[in-house]
Amino acid sequence: MGKHRRYIAGPVGPALMLSVSLGLSGCLETSSTTLDDQGASMSSFDWGLPDSIPLPRVPVDNLMSEEKFELGRHLFYDQRLSVNGELSCASCHHQDKAFSDGLTTPFGATGERHPRNSQSLVNVAWASTLTWGNPSLGTIEQQIMIPLFGDDPIEHGLNAANSEQVVRNIQAEPVYAPLFQQAFPDQDAPLYGELAWDNIVKALASFVRGLVSFESALDRGELSDAALRGEKLFNSERLECFHCHAGYNFSDATVDRQTSFNQLVFHNTGLYNIDGMGGYPEPNTGRHEVTGNPDHMGQFRAPTLRNIALTAPYNHDGSVGTLEDVVRNYAAGGRLRTTAPNAGDGRMNPNKDGFITSFQITDAEIKDVVAFLESLTDESFVTNPRFANPWAKNSIQETP
Ligand code: HEC
Ligand code: HEC
């Protein structure tokens, strides 16, 4: 179990453990959802959604409010929330890159390298599971404990020893007292005592949940001829993309208020085949890393493709540089990797998903598919001031 450590926060007190207790134990196959169908509509929060998009599910104990969203925004961009005051969520999640960071894999506050590529934060509220390939994380609240308190790798580097001082630093910033009071109006002292971390996590989750992107050229019905040709290819039985990158969020791992159950779907796309045995490089074995089930080797969640043109490099370990190369790997039915490390013929991976089969495609057609993927970029999402760093210049800043 040692290598699963990453998913368990350190001994940081009862209020914290409460939020992560759903973690690893037992049933990973069926839905362990704590979400409530009605949650999204039980608050007056304005999601800013087009009529065609169903409301997401929201945990009943953390309904959305504009005040929580705004508090979460301040925390998301606040480096006080790290062991050495040098890293915030925004260090790895940049708005101009749809909240990814442009790196192959990122570094935590103490310089430790994360084994996976920083995900974009786009319509995460609709994701049925969180992160690249973890079936046990059903809510954003659970997921956020990992960057904050995880120690393998260290990201924010918080733990039992330093978390009280971090809260004191937040208490000392005058901006926060009214923000916490407005976000948690039923509590006498929401920034003090046992509930402080619970509130911080809930506010951060509310901000992430509010990062909504449905205003791309595709949504506006403004596709170029190339993008229209690419859309046809994307939805063709030759390329098969649409089976996994399905629906309005271009992911079959999507839940909303109209979905009757929480879909736990993961796929092996044949990126690796180490030793000819279907192996993926440790620790990035995907769903298998959590379940230990050999059939789950190399299985990952199909990520949303919204804003995908802004989030290079690609795949769970950032090992594919361009969208063209992503498409070429699919066309080959997997990736042939001839150079170390992790050389192998992914096309021969025995756990490959049935939809990953080779197909013929011309360079012009690849360009069309990429033009379609580019039409999923939402300029208003990456420039929306609601999602931007709220801290004035010369005050505490996000990492550049
Ligand atoms: C050191 C870089 C780094 C920092 C700091 C960081 N993240 Fe992440 N984030 C990542 C990586 C890498 C992943 C993918 C993790 C995985 O697959 O195991 C991720 C995944 C996520 C996801 C899952 C997205 C999805 O589509 O499932 C959310 C939500 C998220 N981060 C929010 C946050 C928040 C909120 C913070 C601040 C408390 C934060 N992150 C801090 C790098 C970082
Ligand atoms: C069998 C399901 C499946 C099919 C079919 C499929 N994908 Fe994927 N796609 C995935 C999964 C799973 C990942 C993540 C894999 C990983 O990183 O190891 C992914 C990753 C991607 C990425 C990189 C995402 C990122 O955030 O880095 C792009 C781009 C992409 N797919 C586009 C396509 C296109 C275009 C097609 C059709 C040619 C296609 N996919 C077909 C499941 C699928």
Side-chain angles (χ1 to χ4, degrees):
M1 280 309 274
K3 68 190 165 83
H4 297 160
R5 224 155 23 107
R6 163 173 318 120
Y7 300 108
I8 307 171
V12 279
L16 287 172
M17 290 317 285
L18 164 156
S19 313
V20 279
S21 57
L22 264 151
L24 284 174
S25 55
C27 93
L28 303 172
E29 298 300 319
T30 54
S31 161
S32 60
T33 180
T34 57
L35 311 180
D36 182 273
D37 269 4
Q38 306 306 317
S41 60
M42 274 163 55
S43 68
S44 57
F45 184 76
D46 180 2
W47 290 88
L49 295 179
D51 292 343
S52 57
I53 303 299
L55 284 169
R57 299 187 189 180
V58 170
V60 271
D61 64 352
N62 192 20
L63 299 182
M64 289 296 277
S65 73
E66 187 60 26
E67 292 77 12
K68 262 190 272 186
F69 174 90
E70 188 57 24
L71 170 60
R73 175 159 80 116
H74 282 77
L75 292 166
F76 187 90
Y77 286 97
D78 193 341
Q79 296 178 341
R80 287 182 193 87
L81 219 54
S82 63
V83 54
N84 49 13
E86 290 181 10
L87 171 137
S88 71
C89 307
S91 301
C92 302
H93 298 290
H94 306 188
Q95 185 184 11
D96 63 337
K97 297 185 172 65
F99 295 96
S100 66
D101 64 4
L103 300 176
T104 305
T105 58
F107 299 90
T110 56
E112 214 175 310
R113 190 141 210 179
H114 198 295
R116 279 183 283 279
N117 177 256
S118 296
Q119 288 180 292
S120 63
L121 302 179
V122 173
N123 303 335
V124 183
W126 284 264
S128 58
T129 58
L130 282 297
T131 74
W132 282 101
N134 189 332
S136 74
L137 294 171
T139 67
I140 302 174
E141 286 79 356
Q142 290 174 298
Q143 192 279 328
I144 283 176
M145 299 302 287
I146 297 170
L148 288 178
F149 293 99
D151 61 1
D152 181 19
I154 289 176
E155 296 178 70
H156 291 245
L158 305 185
N159 55 41
N162 62 31
S163 62
E164 279 182 38
Q165 182 57 47
V166 167
V167 173
R168 278 196 293 275
N169 295 344
I170 290 177
Q171 289 162 352
E173 164 56 59
V175 163
Y176 277 122
L179 286 174
F180 272 82
Q181 207 52 67
Q182 286 153 15
F184 301 99
D186 298 338
Q187 295 174 26
D188 290 337
L191 189 42
Y192 292 84
E194 279 215 330
L195 285 178
W197 277 108
D198 204 44
N199 291 340
I200 289 170
V201 169
K202 283 179 169 162
L204 282 167
S206 298
F207 176 66
V208 171
R209 221 166 248 129
L211 297 174
V212 164
S213 173
F214 292 104
E215 288 180 38
S216 65
L218 175 77
D219 300 296
R220 293 194 307 270
E222 293 168 6
L223 294 195
S224 66
D225 290 345
L228 280 169
R229 289 192 300 269
E231 183 181 33
K232 278 214 185 78
L233 288 163
F234 187 91
N235 290 317
S236 70
E237 296 295 343
R238 168 155 58 114
L239 270 64
E240 315 271 26
C241 317
F242 70 101
H243 292 291
C244 306
H245 299 288
Y248 58 84
N249 204 31
F250 297 89
S251 166
D252 58 0
T254 298
V255 278
D256 58 47
R257 287 195 52 214
Q258 295 168 11
T259 330
S260 54
F261 62 99
N262 202 356
Q263 295 243 52
L264 296 182
V265 267
F266 297 88
H267 312 276
N268 178 320
T269 61
L271 274 186
Y272 293 98
N273 187 28
I274 296 176
D275 300 332
M277 304 287 283
Y280 266 51
E282 296 278 348
N284 291 331
T285 61
R287 186 190 196 183
H288 164 271
E289 187 193 356
V290 178
T291 66
N293 181 341
D295 295 342
H296 296 165
M297 176 59 79
Q299 288 189 341
F300 292 87
R301 186 189 78 188
T304 180
L305 298 181
R306 289 184 172 275
N307 299 299
I308 194 72
L310 304 177
T311 70
Y314 299 105
N315 288 114
H316 64 269
D317 56 359
S319 63
V320 181
T322 63
L323 288 172
E324 284 80 358
D325 281 348
V326 171
V327 178
R328 283 196 184 93
N329 287 337
Y330 282 118
R335 174 172 61 182
L336 174 60
R337 194 174 168 106
T338 50
T339 51
N342 308 322
D345 191 346
R347 301 171 301 181
M348 307 300 285
N349 189 302
N351 291 317
K352 243 175 40 172
D353 191 283
F355 285 120
I356 306 297
T357 49
S358 61
F359 52 84
Q360 297 290 325
I361 189 165
T362 65
D363 285 348
E365 286 176 323
I366 291 177
K367 283 212 174 74
D368 290 342
V369 173
V370 172
F372 172 63
L373 296 174
E374 285 168 350
S375 81
L376 302 176
T377 298
D378 177 349
E379 286 302 332
S380 70
F381 179 69
V382 294
T383 55
N384 190 340
R386 256 172 76 70
F387 305 153
N389 186 352
W391 299 96
K393 285 217 166 41
N394 305 323
S395 153
I396 199 159
Q397 286 287 309
E398 68 172 305
T399 316

